[in-house]
């Protein structure tokens, strides 16, 4: 009995080592998701003075640079190779349209952006940020490449930045967005104050000297004020999530996306199994 146990032990060790291979053999190579994002602003701006806001946006984290989304196809993908990563969804594929319409009808909120796309789930260290901008830089982008968005010269967009879906043990959604508003100006401060300057001759030397207060001007107020949303949220697929900010907010939903099934191959004609033509069997 002991000899049989000794003989089986090496086989058990080999079987345990091969279990991960068999466990993953039937799993899909990569999970895909449909992502929908709505960005909206608070109309009344009542929390605008609730904090001290930074003067400059933060630098983007190291890793992949943000990319622009590819235009939507003419119809939903019908085969696996037709599903392009980071391609916009068609209107009929979007699920949050009702929420966007409610925001449009509300007097408390102003919808800024509603966009959706499909993408593979990428690990934390290789996740791809998606560039968002309002107004959008250019809707005409090549289908074979996603170029980073670039703002028009001397025109700062109302909303800019990136969002990133990261796949780890859980789904994570990261926002690095910048929302701009026209700066508030204090009307009680005179923008420019200049005091008169007088000259007076010195009787002893004959030289002249200037007397009076120095001229000065108040610094001009910045043209825009910047508000940032730098958040990372753990998410459950298929659920609607709300990322809050005193001045603007984000609704996001991540839904598993099943790639289309491959088109079945056309059936081949049956091969003849009887006698060949021209052959006579007697």
């Amino acid at each position: 009995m002991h000899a049989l146990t000794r003989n089986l032990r090496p086989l058990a060790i080999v079987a345990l080592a091969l279990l991960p291979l068999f466990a993953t053999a039937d799993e899909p190579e990569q999970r895909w998701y449909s992502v929908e994002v709505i960005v909206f602003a608070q109309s009344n701006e009542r929390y605008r003075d609730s904090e001290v806001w930074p003067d400059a946006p933060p630098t983007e984290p190291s890793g992949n640079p943000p990319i622009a989304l590819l235009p939507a196809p003419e119809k939903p993908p019908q085969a696996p190779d037709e599903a392009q990563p980071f391609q916009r969804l068609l209107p009929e594929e979007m699920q949050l349209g009702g929420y966007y319409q409610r925001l449009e009808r509300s007097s408390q909120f102003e919808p800024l952006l509603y966009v959706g796309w499909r993408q593979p789930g990428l690990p934390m260290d290789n996740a791809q940020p998606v560039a968002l901008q309002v107004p959008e830089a250019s809707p005409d982008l090549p289908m074979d490449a996603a170029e980073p968005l670039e703002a028009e010269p001397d025109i700062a967009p109302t909303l800019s930045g990136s969002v990133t879906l990261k796949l780890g043990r859980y789904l994570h959604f990261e926002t690095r967005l910048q929302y701009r508003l026209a700066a508030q100006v204090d009307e009680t401060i005179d923008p420019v104050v200049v005091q008169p300057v007088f000259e007076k001759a010195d009787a002893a030397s004959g030289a002249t000297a200037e007397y009076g207060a120095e001229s000065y001007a108040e610094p001009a107020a910045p043209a825009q004020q910047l508000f940032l949303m730098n958040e990372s949220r753990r998410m459950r697929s298929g659920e609607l999530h709300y990322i809050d900010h005193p001045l603007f907010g984000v609704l996001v939903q991540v839904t598993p996306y099943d790639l289309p099934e491959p088109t079945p191959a056309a059936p081949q004609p049956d091969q003849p199994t009887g006698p060949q033509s021209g052959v006579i069997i007697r």
Side-chain angles (χ1 to χ4, degrees), residues 42-50 108 246-247:
Q42 303 276 356
S43 298
N44 51 25
E45 303 179 12
R46 58 178 177 171
Y47 298 111
R48 185 165 181 167
D49 299 327
S50 61
Q108 300 180 9
L247 274 298

Side-chain angles (χ1 to χ4, degrees), residues 40 57 59 63 78 81 86 121-122 130 138-139 141 155 158 176 197 213 230 257-258 272 275 277:
F40 60 93
T59 57
Q78 305 298 313
D81 57 352
F86 301 99
L122 299 175
V130 172
S138 174
L141 294 174
I155 299 178
T158 302
R176 297 182 68 86
V197 177
N230 297 328
Y257 174 76
D258 295 326
S277 57

Side-chain angles (χ1 to χ4, degrees), residues 2 43 53 108 125 137 162 181 186 193 206 214 222 233 269 277 281:
H2 293 290
S43 298
W53 308 104
Q108 300 180 9
D125 57 352
S162 65
L181 285 173
D186 189 351
V193 179
E214 294 182 356
R233 183 74 57 86
S277 57
I281 300 179

Side-chain angles (χ1 to χ4, degrees), residues 9-219:
R9 187 174 298 166
L11 296 177
I13 295 175
V14 173
L16 289 174
L18 293 177
L19 274 177
L21 299 180
F22 290 109
T24 58
D26 296 331
E27 292 183 1
E29 295 183 358
Q30 200 169 38
R31 284 177 283 180
W32 279 61
Y33 298 92
S34 295
V35 185
E36 292 184 56
V37 174
I38 298 177
V39 185
F40 60 93
Q42 303 276 356
S43 298
N44 51 25
E45 303 179 12
R46 58 178 177 171
Y47 298 111
R48 185 165 181 167
D49 299 327
S50 61
E51 299 181 29
V52 178
W53 308 104
D55 296 328
T59 57
E60 284 286 343
S62 59
N64 294 325
I67 61 170
L69 294 172
L70 297 174
E74 295 183 357
K75 60 181 180 179
Q78 305 298 313
D81 57 352
E82 294 180 6
Q84 299 295 323
F86 301 99
Q87 187 176 44
R88 290 175 183 262
L89 299 175
L90 290 164
E92 57 266 29
E93 298 177 291
M94 308 276 271
Q95 301 180 19
L96 302 184
Y99 292 95
Y100 185 82
Q101 293 174 1
R102 289 168 60 183
L103 290 169
E104 282 187 314
R105 294 192 297 264
S106 172
S107 60
Q108 300 180 9
F109 307 104
E110 177 190 357
L112 302 174
L113 176 70
Y114 178 27
V115 66
W117 67 92
R118 64 178 59 88
Q119 68 164 90
L122 299 175
M124 294 281 189
D125 57 352
N126 196 34
Q128 177 60 65
V130 172
L132 301 182
Q133 182 172 299
V134 177
E136 296 190 53
S138 174
D140 300 323
L141 294 174
M143 292 293 291
D144 58 349
E147 299 294 337
L149 290 176
E150 295 182 1
E152 296 294 332
D154 303 326
I155 299 178
T158 302
L159 179 77
S160 61
S162 65
V163 295
T164 311
L165 179 66
K166 300 180 178 182
L167 180 61
R169 184 176 180 183
Y170 301 96
L171 284 173
H172 293 262
F173 191 78
E174 181 181 272
T175 60
R176 297 182 68 86
L177 298 175
Q178 307 157 23
Y179 175 53
R180 292 175 174 84
L181 285 173
Q184 295 174 328
V185 179
D186 189 351
E187 297 179 355
T188 62
I189 299 177
D190 295 332
V192 178
V193 179
V194 179
Q195 297 290 345
V197 177
F198 302 94
E199 291 185 356
K200 183 178 180 180
D202 188 348
S205 62
T208 59
E210 294 182 351
Y211 293 86
E214 294 182 356
S215 301
Y216 68 95
E218 292 291 338

Side-chain angles (χ1 to χ4, degrees), residues 230-279:
N230 297 328
E231 298 285 344
S232 181
R233 183 74 57 86
R234 194 175 79 179
M235 318 195 81
R236 292 187 178 210
S237 61
E239 294 184 357
L240 181 65
H241 292 263
Y242 172 46
I243 304 176
D244 192 17
H245 185 278
L247 274 298
F248 67 112
V250 174
L251 292 175
V252 57
Q253 180 172 285
V254 180
T255 308
Y257 174 76
D258 295 326
L259 291 172
E261 294 291 335
T263 303
Q268 298 295 325
D270 295 337
Q271 298 296 329
T273 57
Q276 300 295 322
S277 57
V279 177

